[in-house]
Amino acid sequence: MKNILEAPFLVEMVRTCTNMYQHGWDERNGGNISWLLDEAEVAEYLDVNAVLRDIPTGFEAPALEEKYFLVTGTGKYFKNVQYDPAHNLGLIRLSEGGKTAQLLWGFTGGGKFTSEFPAHMMSHAARLSVDPENRIVMHCHPANLLAMTYVHDLDSRSFTRTLWQMCSECVVVFPEGVNVLPWMLCGTNEIGQATAEQMGTARLVVWSQHGIYGAGKDLDETFGLIETAEKAAEIYMKIAHLPLKNTITDEQLHLMEERFGVKAREGFLD
Ligand code: 2HA
Ligand code: ZN
Protein backbone atom coordinates (compact mmCIF):
# COMPACT_ATOMS: atom_id res chain seq x y z
CA MET A 1 0.00 0.00 0.00
CA LYS A 2 1.36 3.42 -0.94
CA ASN A 3 1.78 6.24 1.61
CA ILE A 4 -1.40 8.32 1.59
CA LEU A 5 0.52 11.44 2.66
CA GLU A 6 2.13 11.30 -0.79
CA ALA A 7 -1.13 10.77 -2.68
CA PRO A 8 -1.61 13.55 -5.26
CA PHE A 9 -5.11 14.22 -3.90
CA LEU A 10 -3.76 14.71 -0.37
CA VAL A 11 -0.78 16.83 -1.41
CA GLU A 12 -3.01 19.08 -3.50
CA MET A 13 -5.63 19.36 -0.75
CA VAL A 14 -2.99 20.44 1.78
CA ARG A 15 -1.53 22.99 -0.66
CA THR A 16 -4.96 24.42 -1.41
CA CYS A 17 -5.94 24.79 2.26
CA THR A 18 -2.64 26.59 2.89
CA ASN A 19 -3.10 28.81 -0.14
CA MET A 20 -6.66 29.71 0.85
CA TYR A 21 -5.49 30.54 4.38
CA GLN A 22 -2.77 32.77 2.93
CA HIS A 23 -5.37 34.55 0.80
CA GLY A 24 -7.18 35.49 4.01
CA TRP A 25 -10.26 33.53 3.01
CA ASP A 26 -10.21 31.08 5.94
CA GLU A 27 -9.66 32.75 9.29
CA ARG A 28 -9.70 30.50 12.36
CA ASN A 29 -11.86 27.46 11.49
CA GLY A 30 -13.58 29.26 8.61
CA GLY A 31 -14.11 27.44 5.35
CA ASN A 32 -14.29 23.83 4.22
CA ILE A 33 -13.55 21.69 1.18
CA SER A 34 -14.85 18.31 0.01
CA TRP A 35 -13.38 16.31 -2.87
CA LEU A 36 -15.16 13.38 -4.49
CA LEU A 37 -12.56 10.65 -5.16
CA ASP A 38 -12.72 7.46 -7.20
CA GLU A 39 -12.58 4.18 -5.31
CA ALA A 40 -9.65 3.07 -7.49
CA GLU A 41 -7.46 6.04 -6.51
CA VAL A 42 -8.33 5.63 -2.82
CA ALA A 43 -7.61 1.88 -2.94
CA GLU A 44 -3.99 2.55 -3.92
CA TYR A 45 -3.46 4.06 -0.46
CA LEU A 46 -6.07 2.51 1.86
CA ASP A 47 -7.80 -0.80 2.54
CA VAL A 48 -11.29 0.36 1.62
CA ASN A 49 -12.78 -2.43 3.75
CA ALA A 50 -11.10 -1.19 6.92
CA VAL A 51 -13.64 1.22 8.41
CA LEU A 52 -12.22 3.08 11.44
CA ARG A 53 -15.60 4.28 12.71
CA ASP A 54 -19.09 5.21 11.54
CA ILE A 55 -20.18 8.85 11.83
CA PRO A 56 -23.90 9.74 11.45
CA THR A 57 -24.49 12.56 8.96
CA GLY A 58 -28.01 13.69 9.92
CA PHE A 59 -29.24 13.71 6.31
CA GLU A 60 -29.87 11.45 3.34
CA ALA A 61 -28.07 11.65 0.00
CA PRO A 62 -28.95 8.47 -1.92
CA ALA A 63 -27.25 9.78 -5.09
CA LEU A 64 -23.93 9.71 -3.22
CA GLU A 65 -24.22 6.17 -1.83
CA GLU A 66 -20.80 4.43 -1.72
CA LYS A 67 -18.99 7.59 -2.81
CA TYR A 68 -15.64 8.58 -1.32
CA PHE A 69 -14.83 12.11 -0.11
CA LEU A 70 -11.73 13.77 1.24
CA VAL A 71 -13.09 16.48 3.51
CA THR A 72 -11.88 19.12 5.98
CA GLY A 73 -12.72 18.66 9.67
CA THR A 74 -15.11 20.58 11.86
CA GLY A 75 -13.48 23.16 14.12
CA LYS A 76 -10.14 22.65 12.34
CA TYR A 77 -8.01 25.54 11.07
CA PHE A 78 -6.92 25.71 7.40
CA LYS A 79 -3.74 27.30 8.76
CA ASN A 80 -2.86 23.99 10.44
CA VAL A 81 -3.74 21.47 7.72
CA GLN A 82 -0.19 21.43 6.36
CA TYR A 83 1.29 20.53 9.76
CA ASP A 84 -1.03 17.63 10.56
CA PRO A 85 -3.18 16.50 7.62
CA ALA A 86 -4.45 13.37 9.42
CA HIS A 87 -5.85 15.44 12.28
CA ASN A 88 -7.44 18.16 10.15
CA LEU A 89 -8.72 16.12 7.19
CA GLY A 90 -10.65 12.89 6.83
CA LEU A 91 -11.47 10.43 4.08
CA ILE A 92 -14.96 8.98 4.29
CA ARG A 93 -17.35 6.81 2.29
CA LEU A 94 -21.09 7.45 2.47
CA SER A 95 -23.32 4.48 3.22
CA GLU A 96 -26.93 3.76 4.20
CA GLY A 97 -28.24 6.27 1.66
CA GLY A 98 -25.89 8.96 2.94
CA LYS A 99 -27.01 8.65 6.57
CA THR A 100 -23.64 7.28 7.66
CA ALA A 101 -20.10 8.38 6.84
CA GLN A 102 -17.62 5.52 7.19
CA LEU A 103 -14.27 6.95 8.26
CA LEU A 104 -11.39 5.33 6.37
CA TRP A 105 -8.57 7.72 7.25
CA GLY A 106 -7.92 10.91 9.23
CA PHE A 107 -9.92 12.88 11.82
CA THR A 108 -7.47 11.56 14.40
CA GLY A 109 -8.35 12.39 17.99
CA GLY A 110 -12.08 11.81 17.46
CA GLY A 111 -12.72 14.57 14.92
CA LYS A 112 -15.37 14.61 12.23
CA PHE A 113 -16.29 16.30 8.96
CA THR A 114 -17.06 20.01 8.60
CA SER A 115 -20.24 21.44 10.12
CA GLU A 116 -21.19 22.36 6.56
CA PHE A 117 -21.24 18.71 5.48
CA PRO A 118 -24.95 18.83 4.48
CA ALA A 119 -24.38 21.81 2.16
CA HIS A 120 -21.32 20.08 0.69
CA MET A 121 -22.95 16.72 0.04
CA MET A 122 -26.22 18.17 -1.27
CA SER A 123 -24.20 20.49 -3.53
CA HIS A 124 -22.17 17.55 -4.87
CA ALA A 125 -25.39 15.71 -5.71
CA ALA A 126 -26.83 18.82 -7.39
CA ARG A 127 -23.69 19.56 -9.43
CA LEU A 128 -23.25 15.91 -10.48
CA SER A 129 -26.79 15.87 -11.85
CA VAL A 130 -25.91 18.72 -14.24
CA ASP A 131 -22.16 18.02 -14.62
CA PRO A 132 -20.92 14.44 -14.13
CA GLU A 133 -17.33 15.79 -14.05
CA ASN A 134 -17.83 17.81 -10.87
CA ARG A 135 -15.54 16.72 -8.01
CA ILE A 136 -15.02 19.69 -5.69
CA VAL A 137 -17.17 21.78 -3.38
CA MET A 138 -15.33 24.64 -1.63
CA HIS A 139 -16.55 27.16 0.93
CA CYS A 140 -14.69 30.18 2.32
CA HIS A 141 -15.05 33.76 3.58
CA PRO A 142 -13.38 36.17 1.10
CA ALA A 143 -13.59 39.70 2.51
CA ASN A 144 -14.68 41.64 -0.57
CA LEU A 145 -17.48 39.30 -1.63
CA LEU A 146 -18.73 39.38 1.93
CA ALA A 147 -18.46 43.17 2.10
CA MET A 148 -20.37 43.46 -1.16
CA THR A 149 -23.37 41.66 0.34
CA TYR A 150 -23.76 44.54 2.82
CA VAL A 151 -23.98 47.30 0.22
CA HIS A 152 -25.22 45.70 -3.01
CA ASP A 153 -28.69 44.38 -3.63
CA LEU A 154 -28.85 40.60 -3.42
CA ASP A 155 -30.75 39.77 -6.59
CA SER A 156 -28.62 37.18 -8.45
CA ARG A 157 -28.92 38.91 -11.82
CA SER A 158 -27.99 42.30 -10.50
CA PHE A 159 -25.13 40.93 -8.34
CA THR A 160 -23.76 38.94 -11.28
CA ARG A 161 -23.95 41.89 -13.67
CA THR A 162 -21.96 44.04 -11.25
CA LEU A 163 -19.24 41.36 -10.96
CA TRP A 164 -19.11 40.94 -14.76
CA GLN A 165 -18.70 44.72 -15.11
CA MET A 166 -15.71 44.82 -12.73
CA CYS A 167 -13.22 42.75 -14.80
CA SER A 168 -13.44 41.92 -18.50
CA GLU A 169 -12.77 38.21 -18.03
CA CYS A 170 -15.41 37.52 -15.38
CA VAL A 171 -18.08 36.72 -17.96
CA VAL A 172 -15.69 34.18 -19.52
CA VAL A 173 -14.76 32.55 -16.19
CA PHE A 174 -18.30 32.31 -14.83
CA PRO A 175 -20.72 32.88 -17.74
CA GLU A 176 -23.53 31.26 -15.76
CA GLY A 177 -23.15 34.02 -13.14
CA VAL A 178 -23.40 33.71 -9.38
CA ASN A 179 -26.49 32.83 -7.39
CA VAL A 180 -27.06 34.73 -4.17
CA LEU A 181 -28.77 33.40 -1.05
CA PRO A 182 -30.04 35.73 1.68
CA TRP A 183 -28.58 35.32 5.17
CA MET A 184 -29.50 31.90 6.53
CA LEU A 185 -28.40 29.90 9.56
CA CYS A 186 -25.22 28.06 8.57
CA GLY A 187 -24.51 24.39 9.27
CA THR A 188 -28.16 23.34 8.78
CA ASN A 189 -29.81 20.99 6.31
CA GLU A 190 -31.99 23.97 5.24
CA ILE A 191 -29.06 26.07 4.04
CA GLY A 192 -27.69 22.87 2.47
CA GLN A 193 -30.87 22.35 0.48
CA ALA A 194 -31.04 26.02 -0.53
CA THR A 195 -27.39 25.97 -1.65
CA ALA A 196 -27.87 22.75 -3.62
CA GLU A 197 -30.92 24.24 -5.35
CA GLN A 198 -28.83 27.25 -6.45
CA MET A 199 -26.00 24.92 -7.53
CA GLY A 200 -28.32 23.58 -10.22
CA THR A 201 -27.75 26.73 -12.29
CA ALA A 202 -24.34 28.07 -11.20
CA ARG A 203 -21.01 26.90 -9.78
CA LEU A 204 -20.85 29.91 -7.45
CA VAL A 205 -23.35 30.53 -4.66
CA VAL A 206 -22.93 33.54 -2.37
CA TRP A 207 -24.06 33.23 1.23
CA SER A 208 -24.92 36.81 2.15
CA GLN A 209 -23.00 38.23 5.13
CA HIS A 210 -21.12 34.91 5.38
CA GLY A 211 -19.10 33.78 2.37
CA ILE A 212 -19.23 31.84 -0.88
CA TYR A 213 -19.55 28.29 -2.22
CA GLY A 214 -17.77 27.19 -5.36
CA ALA A 215 -17.94 23.92 -7.28
CA GLY A 216 -15.82 22.53 -10.08
CA LYS A 217 -14.05 19.60 -11.67
CA ASP A 218 -10.81 20.11 -9.74
CA LEU A 219 -9.29 22.28 -7.02
CA ASP A 220 -7.64 24.65 -9.50
CA GLU A 221 -10.86 25.38 -11.35
CA THR A 222 -12.87 25.86 -8.16
CA PHE A 223 -10.22 28.01 -6.49
CA GLY A 224 -9.94 30.06 -9.70
CA LEU A 225 -13.68 30.67 -9.81
CA ILE A 226 -13.74 32.05 -6.28
CA GLU A 227 -10.52 33.97 -6.89
CA THR A 228 -11.99 35.67 -9.97
CA ALA A 229 -15.29 36.56 -8.28
CA GLU A 230 -13.41 37.87 -5.23
CA LYS A 231 -11.16 40.01 -7.46
CA ALA A 232 -14.25 41.54 -9.09
CA ALA A 233 -15.79 42.20 -5.68
CA GLU A 234 -12.55 43.87 -4.62
CA ILE A 235 -12.74 46.26 -7.58
CA TYR A 236 -16.37 46.96 -6.73
CA MET A 237 -15.52 47.78 -3.12
CA LYS A 238 -12.77 50.14 -4.35
CA ILE A 239 -15.05 52.08 -6.70
CA ALA A 240 -18.60 51.78 -5.32
CA HIS A 241 -18.32 55.00 -3.32
CA LEU A 242 -16.68 56.99 -6.15
CA PRO A 243 -18.36 58.76 -9.10
CA LEU A 244 -18.56 56.17 -11.90
CA LYS A 245 -17.19 57.48 -15.21
CA ASN A 246 -16.84 54.25 -17.19
CA THR A 247 -18.10 50.70 -17.17
CA ILE A 248 -18.13 47.56 -19.32
CA THR A 249 -21.31 47.73 -21.38
CA ASP A 250 -23.58 44.83 -22.27
CA GLU A 251 -22.49 45.31 -25.87
CA GLN A 252 -18.88 44.74 -24.80
CA LEU A 253 -19.86 41.72 -22.72
CA HIS A 254 -21.52 40.27 -25.84
CA LEU A 255 -18.21 40.82 -27.69
CA MET A 256 -16.44 38.82 -24.94
CA GLU A 257 -18.99 36.02 -25.36
CA GLU A 258 -18.31 35.84 -29.09
CA ARG A 259 -14.53 36.09 -28.78
CA PHE A 260 -14.27 33.38 -26.09
CA GLY A 261 -17.10 31.13 -27.24
CA VAL A 262 -19.12 31.33 -24.02
CA LYS A 263 -22.80 32.08 -23.46
CA ALA A 264 -23.79 34.35 -20.61
CA ARG A 265 -26.69 33.18 -18.47
CA GLU A 266 -29.98 33.60 -20.33
CA GLY A 267 -31.61 36.92 -19.44
CA PHE A 268 -28.62 38.31 -17.50
CA LEU A 269 -27.46 40.59 -20.35
CA ASP A 270 -29.63 43.14 -22.15
O1 2HA B 1 -16.70 26.65 10.31
O2 2HA B 1 -17.06 28.28 7.47
O3 2HA B 1 -19.66 28.02 7.63
C1 2HA B 1 -16.57 26.62 8.98
C2 2HA B 1 -17.48 27.52 8.30
C3 2HA B 1 -18.91 27.45 8.63
ZN1 ZN C 1 -18.44 29.61 6.61
Side-chain angles (χ1 to χ4, degrees):
M1 206 69 73
K2 295 198 258 180
N3 178 4
I4 192 167
L5 293 174
E6 289 166 11
F9 56 77
L10 206 80
V11 171
E12 215 190 322
M13 183 75 148
V14 169
R15 283 184 186 158
T16 300
C17 288
T18 303
N19 190 21
M20 290 173 75
Y21 173 71
Q22 286 168 346
H23 272 68
W25 298 352
D26 299 275
E27 72 291 342
R28 200 174 182 274
N29 62 321
N32 22 78
I33 304 176
S34 56
W35 185 346
L36 170 60
L37 298 168
D38 293 334
E39 183 174 82
E41 60 184 331
V42 174
E44 287 182 43
Y45 302 93
L46 293 175
D47 174 359
V48 296
N49 298 312
V51 175
L52 303 176
R53 55 191 156 94
D54 282 345
I55 313 175
T57 65
F59 60 83
E60 293 183 32
L64 303 178
E65 177 75 16
E66 295 297 310
K67 296 222 183 291
Y68 293 77
F69 292 93
L70 179 63
V71 53
T72 52
T74 183
K76 301 297 188 268
Y77 294 20
F78 272 35
K79 174 172 77 71
N80 296 335
V81 171
Q82 61 180 320
Y83 305 113
D84 193 352
H87 185 76
N88 295 293
L89 306 173
L91 204 159
I92 58 103
R93 177 178 53 217
L94 288 178
S95 70
E96 295 179 277
K99 283 191 283 192
T100 300
Q102 300 175 316
L103 182 64
L104 300 173
W105 174 86
F107 297 147
T108 57
K112 68 176 211 171
F113 42 73
T114 166
S115 60
E116 302 295 0
F117 202 54
H120 276 254
M121 294 302 109
M122 293 175 196
S123 293
H124 273 287
R127 285 309 305 167
L128 285 171
S129 70
V130 293
D131 175 12
E133 305 264 276
N134 198 86
R135 293 292 177 272
I136 306 288
V137 172
M138 180 183 283
H139 166 64
C140 56
H141 306 157
N144 293 289
L145 279 163
L146 243 145
M148 197 170 152
T149 67
Y150 287 86
V151 296
H152 196 282
D153 67 61
L154 300 178
D155 167 71
S156 297
R157 180 180 187 273
S158 156
F159 202 94
T160 295
R161 288 177 54 81
T162 297
L163 292 178
W164 284 347
Q165 287 160 359
M166 293 303 109
C167 310
S168 293
E169 295 196 344
C170 278
V171 71
V172 180
V173 176
F174 48 94
E176 78 272 42
V178 303
N179 287 335
V180 185
L181 283 178
W183 187 92
M184 291 178 74
L185 188 60
C186 56
T188 61
N189 288 351
E190 287 69 30
I191 200 170
Q193 275 145 6
T195 307
E197 227 164 85
Q198 300 301 325
M199 281 281 180
T201 49
R203 293 165 296 162
L204 287 169
V205 178
V206 172
W207 280 11
S208 294
Q209 295 85 47
H210 181 134
I212 191 163
Y213 267 74
K217 67 179 185 318
D218 56 35
L219 284 174
D220 257 4
E221 177 187 276
T222 315
F223 181 95
L225 272 173
I226 294 177
E227 186 180 31
T228 308
E230 169 62 3
K231 176 64 150 299
E234 181 180 356
I235 311 289
Y236 177 76
M237 295 309 298
K238 282 186 198 292
I239 65 158
H241 57 293
L242 299 172
L244 191 67
K245 300 233 176 166
N246 307 294
T247 191
I248 303 174
T249 64
D250 281 33
E251 209 171 32
Q252 290 166 334
L253 288 167
H254 283 303
L255 288 175
M256 291 296 289
E257 284 184 289
E258 280 168 39
R259 173 74 180 83
F260 291 93
V262 297
K263 189 79 197 80
R265 172 104 150 251
E266 189 70 39
F268 274 29
L269 288 181
D270 292 331

